[in-house]
Amino acid sequence: MGSLEDRNPHHFNPLDLEEFRTQAYQTIDFIINYYQNIETFPVLSQAQPGFLKSSFPNTPPNKPQPFQTTLQDVQTKLMPGLTHWLSPNFFAYFPSTISTAGFLGEMLCTAFNTVGFNWLASPASTELEILVMDWMAKMLRLPETFMFCGSGGGVLHGTTSEAMLCTLVAARDRALAVDPNRDVNKLVVYGSDQTHSTYAKACKIAGIAPENIRTICTTLGSEFGLEPRLVSEAMEADVAAGLKPIYLCATVGTTSSTAVDPVDGLADVARRFGVWFHVDAAYAGSACICPEAGLITGSLSTDPEYLKNKQSESNSVVDFKDWQVGTGRRFKAIRLWMIFQMYGVANLQSHIRSDIHLAKGFEKMVNSDSRFEIVVPRRFALVCFRLNPPRPKSKPKPVELLNRKLLEWVNSTGRLYMTHSIVGGIYFLRFAVGATLTEDRHVAAAWEVISEGADHVLRDES
Amino acid sequence: MGSLEDRNPHHFNPLDLEEFRTQAYQTIDFIINYYQNIETFPVLSQAQPGFLKSSFPNTPPNKPQPFQTTLQDVQTKLMPGLTHWLSPNFFAYFPSTISTAGFLGEMLCTAFNTVGFNWLASPASTELEILVMDWMAKMLRLPETFMFCGSGGGVLHGTTSEAMLCTLVAARDRALAVDPNRDVNKLVVYGSDQTHSTYAKACKIAGIAPENIRTICTTLGSEFGLEPRLVSEAMEADVAAGLKPIYLCATVGTTSSTAVDPVDGLADVARRFGVWFHVDAAYAGSACICPEAGLITGSLSTDPEYLKNKQSESNSVVDFKDWQVGTGRRFKAIRLWMIFQMYGVANLQSHIRSDIHLAKGFEKMVNSDSRFEIVVPRRFALVCFRLNPPRPKSKPKPVELLNRKLLEWVNSTGRLYMTHSIVGGIYFLRFAVGATLTEDRHVAAAWEVISEGADHVLRDES
């Protein structure tokens, strides 16, 4: 590299502060304009594979493009390929959210750009994360054993998968440490057929043999919750076969239908077999900030193993790099802190209740139309329903096909976006409320479109 | 959860657009003010463990705090605990950077908040990432087999560790698939004593037995590069012992001293033993955008295994969730795209050369003072040096202690921040140039402080 000489570089200032101010203001205005007009775009992008290729040269520009050109490109070249996750008419998957406080927190995180891999590298990053993790645990009314101020603690992971992977590796290594053969092929993990698919992926990354990932069936009868008795039987059978159960994953709010596994009963089974018990509350965890959801958060406290680790036992500083896969870490805590600080717990609770309120409104509309039915009872802000019109016995109903057609028709209008799932062999539509900008009127308008779609597919069919 | 009722929620609007505009503008101004005054803060935070605890209540606020209070808290309560990674006087670890384009890209990423786990979920996110990955590969002059437009492709990972983990798992599973016993304990991986510590961690997460992680010694003689002959010998010995080599990690720009492993020779060894060859260029990879660094990028092209995977072979759409640990993923590509678009390749090259220019300037200062010496030849923008004054033979030199004292003295001034490392038993100081705001004058001032520190510790010692 001796040849990487100074070639008399011409002046290039990537952080001219006045330019930064002007362009950042303009970007804010661009974003506000986007939110103001977000309802004019088809919610689900209508782009075809490869749409972007012809819009840009296939080599990077050698010279700078004017900022206005860049914003123009975002508007004209990228926007048609965006699915508008923040649209008030986005009812697919689980919606993502945005808030002023969250956005400002993200700005500060980017602006400081600290790399808080250990305490020393930026004390405020670590200590603020400790603070907000305990605030969060208190808001969820978890026992002190889950908090830094007790004997526990928490960490902000980038994804659910990473949280699963870190606990899986801990459970795996604990088992291997007492096995003279260190035979990973004897280790077995458990979940249900409703556990998120990312769980099986995390298990494979951790080196669990695919045939040792037990997927226990759930049924409509138990509202798709994982039955402790079945887990216990599966573990007994595995032990009898010379295998070693190490990990049980329960879910509070499954992705398909927001089913809630009976955490209490499962914790008992986990304790009896001495396995690590992990609770995935990626979706419904936030609902637990409302005291009326106490049944669930109460159950969480039955599990002293969850989140326990050697760092929590120590009284010295926390090095968060040891709590995650990577080494580098952004100052994510400041975003969460801004949300607490600028909104307060009462408003966050109100926000959750408002989502539930909207979902209940939608549920009523479904119930008021005899052509539709609710497939599983609504728990949070997801309504699982399907078109299932009464018909003479002589004419069997192609219910799944009808609903597939309905979904396609609805999404193709671009006026809203929903997705589907299948549980217990039943194909259904998922109406997931939670986008920040969604109001009563959007839910009502969405129902209009769905109802019109039902007219359409039923007319076609007859 | 049937009890999670609508409790007549009072109005809470987390995204009032005029409030958003006002507060976002104010946050921009706050950030600019921070950059303008960044040199007035001690670079390394002088905070003590637990400093933050008394600044905030131990439960989250129930009611919102005014925005001005929040910004004030950032200034008065958090700032003292920040280590200023963006300070022009930050010469520790490897500096982090900031640019207007990167910041604006991050804003748009946050604003759209798309979750691009598969193509359909937001086509523009996936297609823009494909575009910028190919742009990046072209800028690095990699062969087409590394590009989507060839038979390869790339993905933006959150951390180096994640990239290592994903390739390790692929290498592990390829080996296990042809082993009837699926015995992970027979698999061996290779790196040097200069490979980043995150490598051993990734290996452990992937379930490689700790005793099968070979750490091959490097020496000053080979400038701390990993010698292909030693790797070859280690692999031969392992094969003879019935073990199975699966993975070799080379580094272009090690963390301690920016050593460059001889990628060409190592690739030959990797090919001969049929092992996965991974090149970690987390630091020095960016230097390879300058054509004069062609020696290194040329070598990279000898490795067709790197980045190859089954998705690259397919001609259909790319689902990036299958390229990473997690499922969710932010629209990170837009940040990289903004940087390309708003700066152009020529400016990015100039920026790299400017960092090198500053490091060379510092190197000259070190060389001009006979009390100091350069420990390993400078390659990029890191200068490895130490205080090692000429002394009579009768008086043995406590060189390491002198340098520890010097480092502590320099960092305690708060005027700059450096870190240290040890290679080949030699304790030395690392002066890493690369913070966005660093100019000649900061390097010169840093040298003044270091020189003053040398006077101080040598006076103390005599």
Side-chain angles (χ1 to χ4, degrees):
Chain A
M1 286 303 298
S3 64
L4 196 64
E5 299 294 316
D6 167 27
R7 294 193 174 183
N8 196 15
H10 69 87
H11 184 70
F12 164 55
N13 184 354
L15 190 62
D16 177 280
L17 293 180
E18 280 317 310
E19 185 182 69
F20 176 78
R21 192 189 320 265
T22 310
Q23 295 182 351
Y25 279 16
Q26 285 173 348
T27 304
I28 294 294
D29 292 346
F30 180 90
I31 290 166
I32 288 169
N33 185 59
Y34 169 64
Y35 291 151
Q36 279 165 340
N37 293 291
I38 197 166
E39 293 186 55
T40 65
F41 301 102
V43 187
L44 175 63
S45 169
Q46 317 277 310
Q48 296 304 308
F51 80 98
L52 198 78
K53 210 178 271 182
S54 55
S55 303
F56 292 99
N58 59 13
T59 50
N62 198 49
K63 292 192 173 160
Q65 310 299 301
F67 177 59
Q68 292 306 334
T69 307
T70 302
L71 277 188
Q72 198 57 40
D73 281 355
V74 173
Q75 188 72 43
T76 60
K77 297 179 177 174
L78 298 185
M79 215 70 106
L82 277 187
T83 291
H84 301 278
W85 280 71
L86 293 180
S87 165
N89 300 311
F90 186 100
F91 303 102
Y93 310 106
F94 289 125
S96 65
T97 55
I98 190 74
S99 68
T100 302
F103 192 94
L104 304 182
E106 192 73 33
M107 281 167 79
L108 290 178
C109 169
T110 306
F112 292 132
N113 208 10
T114 57
V115 185
F117 45 78
N118 60 18
W119 182 87
L120 184 70
S122 194
S125 314
T126 297
E127 299 213 2
L128 194 66
E129 189 153 336
I130 289 174
L131 180 84
V132 294
M133 289 289 89
D134 275 6
W135 278 6
M136 180 65 89
K138 278 167 186 168
M139 197 156 67
L140 292 171
R141 283 151 291 118
L142 295 176
E144 279 212 346
T145 49
F146 283 72
M147 301 178 198
F148 285 103
C149 63
S151 56
V155 61
L156 292 170
H157 279 293
T159 56
T160 303
S161 319
E162 199 185 334
M164 286 174 172
L165 180 58
C166 290
T167 52
L168 270 165
V169 165
R172 180 197 70 193
D173 289 352
R174 182 174 68 167
L176 291 179
V178 294
D179 172 8
N181 299 320
R182 287 186 58 86
D183 188 356
V184 76
N185 295 320
K186 288 213 181 311
L187 308 183
V188 193
V189 299
Y190 304 80
S192 86
D193 56 5
Q194 300 303 311
T195 309
H196 196 280
S197 60
T198 207
Y199 174 57
K201 183 170 164 179
C203 292
K204 285 177 196 163
I205 291 173
I208 304 299
E211 65 272 21
N212 288 356
I213 303 171
R214 301 275 173 268
T215 303
I216 294 165
C217 287
T218 60
T219 62
L220 185 56
S222 61
E223 288 183 18
F224 301 105
L226 179 55
E227 288 182 60
R229 182 182 52 84
L230 297 180
V231 176
S232 178
E233 286 170 10
M235 287 186 182
E236 267 162 32
D238 285 327
V239 171
L243 298 172
K244 170 85 182 144
I246 61 160
Y247 193 95
L248 168 60
C249 181
T251 308
V252 175
T254 61
T255 302
S256 279
S257 66
T258 65
V260 175
D261 290 339
V263 176
D264 251 335
L266 291 172
D268 288 342
V269 176
R271 193 182 295 107
R272 189 145 48 84
F273 286 87
V275 309
W276 191 289
F277 186 40
H278 180 85
V279 179
D280 171 11
Y283 170 67
S286 54
C288 304
I289 68 169
C290 300
E292 64 269 32
L295 241 171
I296 292 162
T297 56
S299 313
L300 279 177
S301 71
T302 60
D303 173 32
E305 195 63 52
Y306 178 67
L307 279 184
K308 207 183 238 185
N309 57 67
K310 69 176 177 355
Q311 287 84 357
S312 314
E313 319 285 320
S314 125
N315 290 316
S316 67
V317 298
V318 173
D319 290 343
F320 274 125
K321 72 175 170 50
D322 301 328
W323 295 54
Q324 60 173 21
V325 172
T327 301
R329 67 193 326 267
R330 304 179 72 222
F331 191 2
K332 289 183 284 191
I334 200 169
R335 179 172 176 161
L336 190 54
W337 174 76
M338 295 277 281
I339 290 169
F340 278 124
Q341 192 83 0
M342 287 177 60
Y343 297 145
V345 173
N347 274 322
L348 297 174
Q349 290 171 336
S350 145
H351 188 60
I352 294 284
R353 290 178 187 131
S354 160
D355 284 349
I356 307 266
H357 166 78
L358 292 172
K360 285 182 69 180
F362 183 81
E363 189 183 28
K364 273 184 201 150
M365 297 174 200
V366 172
N367 278 326
S368 71
D369 186 332
S370 62
R371 298 174 302 174
F372 287 90
E373 66 179 10
I374 299 291
V375 175
V376 290
R378 184 196 53 74
R379 282 172 180 274
F380 303 101
L382 172 70
V383 181
C384 301
F385 71 109
R386 63 173 181 170
L387 183 59
N388 191 7
R391 299 247 296 234
K393 266 192 184 162
S394 59
K395 215 174 167 188
K397 295 175 288 182
V399 179
E400 178 168 335
L401 186 65
L402 270 183
N403 282 281
R404 284 186 185 276
K405 280 182 179 170
L406 175 58
L407 183 65
E408 203 187 321
W409 190 91
V410 165
N411 286 342
S412 74
T413 66
R415 287 156 68 193
L416 70 149
Y417 182 27
M418 286 191 303
T419 47
H420 77 280
S421 192
I422 297 178
V423 293
I426 304 170
Y427 180 100
F428 62 92
L429 307 180
R430 295 171 73 264
F431 190 83
V433 180
T436 307
L437 298 167
T438 303
E439 299 170 16
D440 286 276
R441 64 188 173 93
H442 298 106
V443 173
W447 174 250
E448 287 295 316
V449 175
I450 294 165
S451 181
E452 190 188 329
D455 295 345
H456 181 84
V457 299
L458 291 173
R459 194 185 319 123
D460 261 19
E461 196 224 2
S462 59
Chain B
M1 286 302 297
S3 63
L4 196 63
E5 299 295 314
D6 167 27
R7 295 194 174 181
N8 196 14
H10 70 87
H11 185 68
F12 164 55
N13 185 356
L15 190 62
D16 176 282
L17 293 180
E18 281 317 311
E19 185 183 70
F20 176 79
R21 194 192 316 268
T22 310
Q23 296 182 350
Y25 278 16
Q26 286 174 346
T27 305
I28 294 294
D29 293 347
F30 179 90
I31 291 166
I32 288 168
N33 185 59
Y34 169 65
Y35 291 151
Q36 278 165 340
N37 293 293
I38 197 166
E39 293 185 55
T40 64
F41 302 101
V43 187
L44 174 62
S45 168
Q46 317 277 307
Q48 296 303 308
F51 80 98
L52 198 78
K53 210 178 274 182
S54 55
S55 304
F56 291 99
N58 58 13
T59 50
N62 198 49
K63 292 192 174 161
Q65 310 298 303
F67 177 59
Q68 291 307 333
T69 308
T70 303
L71 276 189
Q72 197 58 38
D73 281 354
V74 173
Q75 187 72 43
T76 60
K77 298 179 177 175
L78 299 184
M79 214 71 108
L82 276 187
T83 291
H84 301 278
W85 281 71
L86 294 180
S87 165
N89 301 312
F90 186 100
F91 302 103
Y93 308 106
F94 289 125
S96 66
T97 55
I98 190 72
S99 68
T100 302
F103 192 93
L104 304 182
E106 193 74 31
M107 280 167 79
L108 289 178
C109 169
T110 305
F112 292 132
N113 208 9
T114 58
V115 185
F117 46 78
N118 62 16
W119 183 87
L120 184 70
S122 194
S125 314
T126 297
E127 299 213 2
L128 194 66
E129 188 152 338
I130 290 174
L131 180 85
V132 293
M133 289 290 89
D134 274 7
W135 278 7
M136 180 64 89
K138 279 168 186 166
M139 196 156 68
L140 293 170
R141 282 150 291 118
L142 295 176
E144 278 212 346
T145 49
F146 284 71
M147 301 177 198
F148 285 102
C149 64
S151 56
V155 61
L156 292 169
H157 279 293
T159 56
T160 303
S161 318
E162 198 186 334
M164 286 175 172
L165 180 58
C166 289
T167 52
L168 270 165
V169 165
R172 179 198 70 193
D173 289 351
R174 183 173 69 168
L176 292 179
V178 295
D179 173 8
N181 299 321
R182 287 186 58 86
D183 188 356
V184 76
N185 295 320
K186 290 213 180 310
L187 309 183
V188 193
V189 300
Y190 305 80
S192 86
D193 56 5
Q194 300 303 311
T195 308
H196 196 280
S197 61
T198 206
Y199 174 57
K201 182 168 165 181
C203 292
K204 285 176 196 163
I205 292 173
I208 304 300
E211 65 272 21
N212 288 356
I213 304 171
R214 301 276 171 269
T215 302
I216 294 166
C217 287
T218 59
T219 62
L220 185 56
S222 61
E223 289 183 17
F224 301 104
L226 177 55
E227 287 182 61
R229 181 182 53 83
L230 297 179
V231 176
S232 178
E233 286 171 9
M235 287 186 183
E236 268 163 31
D238 284 327
V239 170
L243 298 172
K244 170 84 184 147
I246 60 160
Y247 193 96
L248 169 59
C249 180
T251 308
V252 175
T254 61
T255 301
S256 280
S257 66
T258 67
V260 175
D261 290 339
V263 176
D264 251 335
L266 292 172
D268 287 343
V269 175
R271 192 182 296 106
R272 189 145 49 83
F273 285 86
V275 310
W276 191 289
F277 186 41
H278 181 85
V279 180
D280 171 11
Y283 170 68
S286 54
C288 304
I289 69 169
C290 299
E292 63 270 31
L295 240 171
I296 292 163
T297 57
S299 313
L300 280 177
S301 72
T302 58
D303 173 32
E305 196 63 51
Y306 178 67
L307 280 183
K308 207 184 240 185
N309 58 67
K310 69 176 175 359
Q311 288 84 354
S312 316
E313 319 283 320
S314 125
N315 291 315
S316 67
V317 298
V318 173
D319 291 342
F320 274 125
K321 72 176 170 53
D322 301 328
W323 295 54
Q324 61 175 18
V325 172
T327 301
R329 66 193 328 266
R330 305 178 74 221
F331 191 2
K332 290 183 284 190
I334 201 168
R335 178 171 178 161
L336 191 53
W337 174 76
M338 294 276 282
I339 290 169
F340 278 125
Q341 192 82 359
M342 286 177 60
Y343 297 145
V345 173
N347 275 323
L348 298 174
Q349 290 171 335
S350 144
H351 188 60
I352 293 284
R353 289 178 188 131
S354 161
D355 285 348
I356 307 265
H357 165 79
L358 292 173
K360 286 181 68 178
F362 183 81
E363 189 184 27
K364 272 185 200 147
M365 297 173 200
V366 173
N367 278 326
S368 70
D369 186 332
S370 62
R371 299 173 301 174
F372 287 89
E373 67 179 9
I374 298 291
V375 175
V376 289
R378 184 197 53 75
R379 282 172 180 275
F380 303 101
L382 172 71
V383 180
C384 301
F385 71 108
R386 62 174 182 171
L387 183 59
N388 190 9
R391 301 248 294 238
K393 267 194 184 161
S394 58
K395 214 175 165 189
K397 294 176 288 182
V399 179
E400 178 169 334
L401 186 65
L402 271 183
N403 282 280
R404 285 186 186 275
K405 282 183 180 168
L406 174 58
L407 182 64
E408 201 187 323
W409 190 91
V410 165
N411 287 342
S412 73
T413 66
R415 287 155 68 193
L416 71 149
Y417 182 28
M418 288 192 301
T419 46
H420 77 279
S421 192
I422 297 178
V423 294
I426 305 169
Y427 180 100
F428 62 91
L429 308 179
R430 295 170 74 265
F431 191 84
V433 180
T436 307
L437 298 167
T438 304
E439 299 171 15
D440 286 277
R441 64 188 171 93
H442 300 106
V443 172
W447 175 249
E448 287 296 315
V449 175
I450 294 165
S451 182
E452 191 188 329
D455 295 346
H456 181 84
V457 299
L458 290 174
R459 195 184 320 123
D460 262 18
E461 198 225 0
S462 60

